[in-house]
mmCIF file with all atom_site columns, all heavy atoms in Angstrom:
data_model
loop_
_atom_site.group_PDB
_atom_site.id
_atom_site.type_symbol
_atom_site.label_atom_id
_atom_site.label_alt_id
_atom_site.label_comp_id
_atom_site.label_asym_id
_atom_site.label_entity_id
_atom_site.label_seq_id
_atom_site.pdbx_PDB_ins_code
_atom_site.Cartn_x
_atom_site.Cartn_y
_atom_site.Cartn_z
_atom_site.occupancy
_atom_site.B_iso_or_equiv
_atom_site.pdbx_formal_charge
_atom_site.auth_seq_id
_atom_site.auth_comp_id
_atom_site.auth_asym_id
_atom_site.auth_atom_id
_atom_site.pdbx_PDB_model_num
ATOM 1  N N   . ILE A 1 180 ? 61.191 -47.552 -55.864 1.00 68.00 ? 196 ILE A N   1
ATOM 2  C CA  . ILE A 1 180 ? 61.581 -47.469 -57.242 1.00 68.00 ? 196 ILE A CA  1
ATOM 3  C C   . ILE A 1 180 ? 63.072 -47.039 -57.328 1.00 68.00 ? 196 ILE A C   1
ATOM 4  O O   . ILE A 1 180 ? 63.926 -47.596 -58.158 1.00 68.00 ? 196 ILE A O   1
ATOM 5  C CB  . ILE A 1 180 ? 60.701 -46.558 -58.058 1.00 68.00 ? 196 ILE A CB  1
ATOM 6  C CG1 . ILE A 1 180 ? 59.278 -47.115 -58.104 1.00 68.00 ? 196 ILE A CG1 1
ATOM 7  C CG2 . ILE A 1 180 ? 61.196 -46.269 -59.424 1.00 68.00 ? 196 ILE A CG2 1
ATOM 8  C CD1 . ILE A 1 180 ? 58.328 -46.139 -58.792 1.00 68.00 ? 196 ILE A CD1 1
ATOM 9  N N   . ALA A 1 181 ? 63.470 -46.152 -56.474 1.00 65.00 ? 197 ALA A N   1
ATOM 10 C CA  . ALA A 1 181 ? 64.836 -45.547 -56.552 1.00 65.00 ? 197 ALA A CA  1
ATOM 11 C C   . ALA A 1 181 ? 65.885 -46.782 -56.300 1.00 65.00 ? 197 ALA A C   1
ATOM 12 O O   . ALA A 1 181 ? 66.841 -46.941 -56.842 1.00 65.00 ? 197 ALA A O   1
ATOM 13 C CB  . ALA A 1 181 ? 65.069 -44.467 -55.600 1.00 65.00 ? 197 ALA A CB  1
ATOM 14 N N   . LYS A 1 182 ? 65.525 -47.457 -55.146 1.00 68.00 ? 198 LYS A N   1
ATOM 15 C CA  . LYS A 1 182 ? 66.405 -48.590 -54.811 1.00 68.00 ? 198 LYS A CA  1
ATOM 16 C C   . LYS A 1 182 ? 66.311 -49.779 -55.750 1.00 68.00 ? 198 LYS A C   1
ATOM 17 O O   . LYS A 1 182 ? 67.461 -50.327 -56.110 1.00 68.00 ? 198 LYS A O   1
ATOM 18 C CB  . LYS A 1 182 ? 65.899 -49.156 -53.384 1.00 68.00 ? 198 LYS A CB  1
ATOM 19 C CG  . LYS A 1 182 ? 66.176 -48.187 -52.309 1.00 68.00 ? 198 LYS A CG  1
ATOM 20 C CD  . LYS A 1 182 ? 65.673 -48.814 -50.900 1.00 68.00 ? 198 LYS A CD  1
ATOM 21 C CE  . LYS A 1 182 ? 65.977 -47.807 -49.753 1.00 68.00 ? 198 LYS A CE  1
ATOM 22 N NZ  . LYS A 1 182 ? 65.495 -48.317 -48.412 1.00 68.00 ? 198 LYS A NZ  1
ATOM 23 N N   . GLN A 1 183 ? 65.244 -49.927 -56.362 1.00 68.00 ? 199 GLN A N   1
ATOM 24 C CA  . GLN A 1 183 ? 65.140 -51.029 -57.314 1.00 68.00 ? 199 GLN A CA  1
ATOM 25 C C   . GLN A 1 183 ? 65.970 -50.647 -58.593 1.00 68.00 ? 199 GLN A C   1
ATOM 26 O O   . GLN A 1 183 ? 66.668 -51.544 -59.154 1.00 68.00 ? 199 GLN A O   1
ATOM 27 C CB  . GLN A 1 183 ? 63.714 -51.110 -57.914 1.00 68.00 ? 199 GLN A CB  1
ATOM 28 C CG  . GLN A 1 183 ? 63.482 -52.124 -58.926 1.00 68.00 ? 199 GLN A CG  1
ATOM 29 C CD  . GLN A 1 183 ? 62.382 -51.832 -59.925 1.00 68.00 ? 199 GLN A CD  1
ATOM 30 O OE1 . GLN A 1 183 ? 62.149 -50.616 -60.149 1.00 68.00 ? 199 GLN A OE1 1
ATOM 31 N NE2 . GLN A 1 183 ? 61.769 -52.728 -60.444 1.00 68.00 ? 199 GLN A NE2 1
ATOM 32 N N   . GLY A 1 184 ? 66.114 -49.308 -58.957 1.00 68.00 ? 200 GLY A N   1
ATOM 33 C CA  . GLY A 1 184 ? 66.838 -48.960 -60.150 1.00 68.00 ? 200 GLY A CA  1
ATOM 34 C C   . GLY A 1 184 ? 68.257 -49.207 -59.890 1.00 68.00 ? 200 GLY A C   1
ATOM 35 O O   . GLY A 1 184 ? 69.089 -49.710 -60.891 1.00 68.00 ? 200 GLY A O   1
ATOM 36 N N   . TRP A 1 185 ? 68.844 -49.034 -58.614 1.00 70.00 ? 201 TRP A N   1
ATOM 37 C CA  . TRP A 1 185 ? 70.303 -49.245 -58.344 1.00 70.00 ? 201 TRP A CA  1
ATOM 38 C C   . TRP A 1 185 ? 70.557 -50.756 -58.546 1.00 70.00 ? 201 TRP A C   1
ATOM 39 O O   . TRP A 1 185 ? 71.500 -51.259 -59.081 1.00 70.00 ? 201 TRP A O   1
ATOM 40 C CB  . TRP A 1 185 ? 70.659 -48.765 -56.877 1.00 70.00 ? 201 TRP A CB  1
ATOM 41 C CG  . TRP A 1 185 ? 70.789 -47.356 -56.889 1.00 70.00 ? 201 TRP A CG  1
ATOM 42 C CD1 . TRP A 1 185 ? 70.007 -46.416 -56.379 1.00 70.00 ? 201 TRP A CD1 1
ATOM 43 C CD2 . TRP A 1 185 ? 72.044 -46.592 -57.403 1.00 70.00 ? 201 TRP A CD2 1
ATOM 44 N NE1 . TRP A 1 185 ? 70.572 -45.115 -56.421 1.00 70.00 ? 201 TRP A NE1 1
ATOM 45 C CE2 . TRP A 1 185 ? 71.743 -45.178 -57.124 1.00 70.00 ? 201 TRP A CE2 1
ATOM 46 C CE3 . TRP A 1 185 ? 73.144 -46.969 -58.000 1.00 70.00 ? 201 TRP A CE3 1
ATOM 47 C CZ2 . TRP A 1 185 ? 72.695 -44.218 -57.369 1.00 70.00 ? 201 TRP A CZ2 1
ATOM 48 C CZ3 . TRP A 1 185 ? 74.064 -45.994 -58.362 1.00 70.00 ? 201 TRP A CZ3 1
ATOM 49 C CH2 . TRP A 1 185 ? 73.858 -44.629 -58.053 1.00 70.00 ? 201 TRP A CH2 1
ATOM 50 N N   . VAL A 1 186 ? 69.651 -51.664 -58.032 1.00 69.00 ? 202 VAL A N   1
ATOM 51 C CA  . VAL A 1 186 ? 69.937 -53.091 -58.052 1.00 69.00 ? 202 VAL A CA  1
ATOM 52 C C   . VAL A 1 186 ? 69.777 -53.558 -59.491 1.00 69.00 ? 202 VAL A C   1
ATOM 53 O O   . VAL A 1 186 ? 70.691 -54.361 -59.816 1.00 69.00 ? 202 VAL A O   1
ATOM 54 C CB  . VAL A 1 186 ? 68.911 -53.779 -57.071 1.00 69.00 ? 202 VAL A CB  1
ATOM 55 C CG1 . VAL A 1 186 ? 68.831 -55.217 -57.321 1.00 69.00 ? 202 VAL A CG1 1
ATOM 56 C CG2 . VAL A 1 186 ? 68.981 -53.462 -55.730 1.00 69.00 ? 202 VAL A CG2 1
ATOM 57 N N   . LEU A 1 187 ? 68.818 -53.137 -60.273 1.00 74.00 ? 203 LEU A N   1
ATOM 58 C CA  . LEU A 1 187 ? 68.679 -53.709 -61.578 1.00 74.00 ? 203 LEU A CA  1
ATOM 59 C C   . LEU A 1 187 ? 69.944 -53.070 -62.456 1.00 74.00 ? 203 LEU A C   1
ATOM 60 O O   . LEU A 1 187 ? 70.353 -53.816 -63.263 1.00 74.00 ? 203 LEU A O   1
ATOM 61 C CB  . LEU A 1 187 ? 67.356 -53.181 -62.203 1.00 74.00 ? 203 LEU A CB  1
ATOM 62 C CG  . LEU A 1 187 ? 66.125 -53.752 -61.689 1.00 74.00 ? 203 LEU A CG  1
ATOM 63 C CD1 . LEU A 1 187 ? 64.856 -53.292 -62.268 1.00 74.00 ? 203 LEU A CD1 1
ATOM 64 C CD2 . LEU A 1 187 ? 66.230 -55.295 -61.913 1.00 74.00 ? 203 LEU A CD2 1
#
Side-chain angles (χ1 to χ4, degrees):
I196 292 175
K198 292 181 178 179
Q199 177 215 32
W201 283 105
V202 174
L203 288 179

